[in-house]
Amino acid sequence: MDLQLIGKTALVTGSTAGIGFAIARTLAREGTSIVITGRTQDRVDNAARRIREEIGDAKVSGIAADLATARGSAKCIEAVPSVDILVNNLGVYEPKPFEKITDDDWHSIIETNFMSGVWLCRHYLPRMEAANWGRIIFISSESAVNIPVEMIHYGVTKTMQVALARGLAETTS
């Protein structure tokens, strides 16, 4: 499949494993320059190496930063000031009864699953608009609509992502 992404740069958050890694690998196959993100340099380096081994001509770099913090997101932005594609995949979950979800739990999951995307979109969207080309994708979940009773806090953050994505789409039409 040719998605016509040769020459484009994509930042994929939470891309050292799982869905994020699969997205990064797929975009690399399409000729996109990929920026892998993860919390540790070892995981970032390992993911980049695996993509290069599988796709010989892959253009892959990586940033080790905790994007669940404003400081980590700023580090990422400083290292990669401009992208064509932003895939907000970073996310965590934890089964926990509602009455046991602490304020710290709420803050942590909101900063990881939602605010990381806010911080990155706030920086990259104006640059995409100035270039008259760009894509921002949020990897959400059916939990945005069907809130799981054992992970209400997770479902709420997925709903927040959908609302943010929809609102940003409205600003660009």
Side-chain angles (χ1 to χ4, degrees):
M1 176 184 316
D2 181 5
L3 298 176
Q4 300 178 356
L5 298 176
I6 293 172
K8 303 292 185 194
T9 299
L11 172 67
V12 183
T13 67
S15 51
T16 60
I19 293 169
F21 179 79
I23 292 167
R25 183 179 55 209
T26 299
L27 289 170
R29 279 193 193 111
E30 290 296 320
T32 308
S33 296
I34 301 301
V35 181
I36 299 281
T37 69
R39 287 183 303 243
T40 68
Q41 194 63 54
D42 284 344
R43 287 181 60 103
V44 169
D45 291 344
N46 183 49
R49 178 189 51 74
R50 288 171 44 213
I51 290 174
R52 282 190 203 100
E53 285 174 357
E54 186 178 329
I55 306 160
D57 60 347
K59 298 172 198 76
V60 185
S61 61
I63 305 294
D66 184 357
L67 301 179
T69 68
R71 177 180 287 161
S73 292
K75 177 182 176 184
C76 179
I77 288 166
E78 183 178 328
V80 186
S82 180
V83 298
D84 303 297
I85 302 163
L86 171 61
V87 180
N88 290 297
N89 171 69
L90 178 62
V92 295
Y93 64 93
E94 175 188 27
K96 193 177 244 189
F98 175 76
E99 60 277 4
K100 304 256 187 210
I101 303 169
T102 67
D103 287 353
D104 286 342
D105 293 335
W106 278 104
H107 288 287
S108 178
I109 201 165
I110 288 169
E111 287 177 355
T112 303
N113 294 4
F114 180 70
M115 289 305 297
S116 61
V118 169
W119 293 318
L120 296 174
C121 288
R122 189 181 296 147
H123 174 79
Y124 292 119
L125 179 60
R127 284 147 185 82
M128 291 175 181
E129 289 176 319
N132 202 31
W133 200 97
R135 302 293 184 267
I136 295 176
I137 301 165
F138 282 86
I139 304 302
S140 187
S141 163
E142 71 176 289
S143 295
V145 177
N146 297 312
I147 307 294
V149 296
E150 73 283 4
M151 296 190 303
I152 291 172
H153 55 332
Y154 172 77
V156 167
T157 64
K158 292 302 172 174
T159 302
M160 293 167 73
Q161 287 178 333
V162 170
L164 177 60
R166 185 70 219 140
L168 293 177
E170 290 295 325
T171 70
T172 61
S173 48

